[in-house]
Amino acid sequence: MDSINRAIISATQAGLPLTSEPYQTLAEQIGISAEEFMQRLTQMQATGIIRRIGAVPNHYKLGYQHNGMTVWDVTDAQIDRLGTQVGLLDFVSHCYHRPRHLPEWRYNLFAMIHSKTAAGAEQQIAQIATLLGTHCHAHEVLYSTRILKKTGLRISK
């Protein structure tokens, strides 16, 4: 990775500036054109250096106090299809297929939910349970009590 790509990553890793043209602002800070900035950013995404660019909301500050990682024991033969459907629900922020660790951990599908009320969270969990139907054998909810980390990898300049 050359020094300009490293500068782009360093400039963007803490978030984009709140300006009408954030990439233009960052390009000026680095000393390159906005076109070069975008070309390099696109190239780094294409090569996998940057996986994605997205918002990282603080759910608590947005009023979502009932956040939980729901874990589900789903029939292996159906997990890809059902996991895709769960991941498309508008209240699920991320959904993963993870290996079981038997006999201690039977769950293989993880889905993070967010709600402003306890009743809302329970309704979301019920909706997922209905979607999974008879392919789900058990589930649990691990509610968040605080934010431990809200950042991605940080590199030094």
Side-chain angles (χ1 to χ4, degrees), residues 5-148:
N5 282 356
R6 192 172 191 87
I8 290 170
I9 292 171
S10 181
T12 57
Q13 64 188 359
L16 299 178
L18 297 176
T19 65
S20 60
E21 297 183 36
Y23 295 116
Q24 175 71 39
T25 302
L26 292 172
E28 290 170 3
Q29 289 174 4
I30 294 171
I32 62 175
S33 69
E35 292 77 22
E36 181 180 358
F37 187 97
M38 293 308 297
Q39 287 173 346
R40 285 175 171 268
L41 200 59
T42 301
Q43 179 67 24
M44 286 191 282
Q45 284 186 282
T47 59
I49 294 173
I50 295 175
R51 191 171 53 189
R52 69 182 186 95
I53 298 171
V56 182
N58 181 326
H59 293 92
Y60 289 96
K61 287 186 178 179
L62 294 172
Y64 292 87
Q65 301 292 317
H66 302 273
N67 308 299
M69 178 61 77
T70 63
V71 295
W72 307 84
D73 175 8
V74 176
T75 304
D76 290 328
Q78 298 295 321
I79 193 164
D80 288 341
R81 178 181 66 81
L82 293 170
T84 298
Q85 292 176 6
V86 170
L88 291 174
L89 296 171
D90 63 358
F91 55 82
V92 172
S93 63
H94 44 286
C95 183
Y96 304 95
H97 173 192
R98 296 279 191 223
R100 303 172 196 277
H101 294 280
L102 298 172
E104 292 85 14
W105 189 257
R106 65 191 292 184
Y107 304 104
N108 58 349
L109 181 66
F110 294 58
M112 188 73 193
I113 62 163
H114 305 276
S115 179
K116 293 182 177 179
T117 66
E122 292 302 319
Q123 186 176 21
Q124 292 171 346
I125 294 163
Q127 189 173 342
I128 294 172
T130 299
L131 187 153
L132 297 175
T134 59
H135 298 293
C136 179
H137 309 293
H139 76 276
E140 292 186 39
V141 181
L142 312 168
Y143 281 104
S144 301
T145 57
R146 61 188 168 132
I147 296 174
L148 299 176

